[in-house]
Amino acid sequence: MNEPIFVSGGSKGGVGKSIVTIALIDTVLHFKKKVVLIESDTSNPDVWKMYKDEIKTELIDLDVANGWIDMVNVCDENKDAIIIINTAARNNKGVTAYGGTLNSTLEELERKLLTFWVINRQRDSLELLKDYMDALPDSIVHVVRNSYFGDEGKFELYNGSKVRESVESSGGKSITFPDLADRVSDDLYSKRLSIDSAMKQLPIGNRAELTRWRNEFRKILGEVIDG
Ligand SMILES: Nc1ncnc2c1ncn2[C@@H]1O[C@H](COP(=O)(O)OP(=O)(O)O)[C@@H](O)[C@H]1O
Ligand SMILES: [Mg+2]
């Protein structure tokens, strides 16, 4: 098997897809693995802006058939790298129409597809997930409860749902992603800093909070990525 493909998805805007992508990149780099970022949020490429000078990146529009072709080719051309895909809001149409392009090539690419489906506490997060799993049936899906929206227990709709049963019975896990203090996440977004550059530039207090958060997500994501 070649290295896996990670997708940070969720279809909705503002659920935390970008921040989970950032955490995935940071965790993979910590493992000293090569990574290629595919930024598909071409209208607001926030993760691309943060990481374009530090890792290999590609900007690819996944609302069109050509984008999916390009993405599969990038996966083939970078066999030694983990591919991390940051998705845009409302990308469910593209996934439904062209998801098969990726799903059908996974075997030949010799890569596993792992999706990190980021949710808030609302129902539509779960409904969109069902469609995604239909379009990309070979992906393992981990559901990411973003604690920016509340503690794990507050995700009642998901915790007691049928979707959860189907996620966990097909090898996925339900994980909880830690909350970073607003003033530090504002630093990352407004100054377009990668975590590494933030660790060089921010004041000591902000760096301490960043370190706390980083250690937490590395532990949580590391377990899922490894196993
Ligand atoms: N776990 C978190 N910790 C801190 N801030 C968060 C977290 N999740 C989301 N946010 C905040 O919410 C905003 C939207 O998150 P983002 O990852 O950009 O969402 P998406 O990519 O899904 O649109 C971010 O700018 C950040 O301020
Ligand atoms: Mg985003």
Side-chain angles (χ1 to χ4, degrees):
M1 271 295 194
N2 293 316
E3 297 288 1
I5 302 168
F6 298 158
V7 173
S8 177
S11 267
K12 291 186 59 172
V15 287
K17 300 180 300 297
S18 291
I19 204 162
V20 167
T21 301
I22 292 164
L24 284 168
I25 295 171
D26 186 74
T27 304
V28 166
L29 292 176
H30 179 63
F31 289 152
K32 307 256 185 284
K33 298 244 190 191
K34 265 200 177 172
V35 47
V36 175
L37 166 71
I38 296 182
E39 172 65 91
S40 72
D41 194 348
T42 48
S43 57
N44 177 30
D46 46 10
V47 184
W48 178 81
K49 285 178 187 160
M50 293 170 184
Y51 278 91
K52 66 180 167 39
D53 298 328
E54 296 180 19
I55 57 175
K56 186 164 180 182
T57 56
E58 304 275 353
L59 271 172
I60 297 180
D61 181 358
L62 293 180
D63 286 334
V64 295
N66 271 335
W68 289 79
I69 298 171
D70 289 340
M71 174 178 68
V72 169
N73 291 339
V74 167
C75 291
D76 192 46
E77 286 152 14
N78 296 276
K79 290 199 170 65
D80 57 340
I82 294 182
I83 311 288
I84 299 183
I85 304 170
N86 187 43
T87 63
R90 291 175 296 279
N91 79 329
N92 45 315
K93 276 197 187 138
V95 172
T96 306
Y98 312 116
T101 307
L102 176 60
N103 201 76
S104 68
T105 48
L106 287 172
E107 200 176 310
E108 189 178 335
L109 289 170
E110 294 183 55
R111 291 190 188 256
K112 269 194 209 158
L113 178 61
L114 252 73
T115 302
F116 293 81
W117 191 264
V118 190
I119 62 169
N120 62 13
R121 287 159 43 205
Q122 290 160 5
R123 185 178 299 281
D124 42 355
S125 283
L126 309 183
E127 279 160 7
L128 291 161
L129 174 55
K130 286 183 213 152
D131 298 340
Y132 180 90
M133 290 169 81
D134 287 342
L136 283 164
D138 291 337
S139 178
I140 291 174
V141 177
H142 300 304
V143 170
V144 182
R145 289 173 290 227
N146 185 354
S147 47
Y148 181 67
F149 301 104
D151 297 339
E152 193 170 300
K154 286 199 171 169
F155 288 74
E156 295 150 347
L157 271 182
Y158 172 71
N159 292 342
S161 68
K162 285 249 162 63
V163 186
R164 180 182 187 168
E165 283 172 28
S166 87
V167 162
E168 293 180 359
S169 67
S170 45
K173 289 189 175 140
S174 308
I175 61 180
T176 302
F177 184 76
D179 188 23
L180 172 68
D182 286 343
R183 54 192 288 191
V184 183
S185 73
D186 289 350
D187 285 336
L188 295 180
Y189 280 85
S190 62
K191 298 176 183 156
R192 293 168 183 169
L193 297 174
S194 69
I195 297 182
D196 274 341
S197 18
M199 287 306 289
K200 289 179 191 134
Q201 293 182 29
L202 296 182
I204 183 168
N206 303 44
R207 281 188 278 120
E209 163 63 2
L210 194 58
T211 301
R212 177 198 66 77
W213 177 67
R214 182 188 225 181
N215 289 337
E216 248 185 81
F217 76 64
R218 275 183 179 166
K219 187 162 163 270
I220 289 155
L221 295 178
E223 280 170 13
V224 185
I225 291 171
D226 251 8

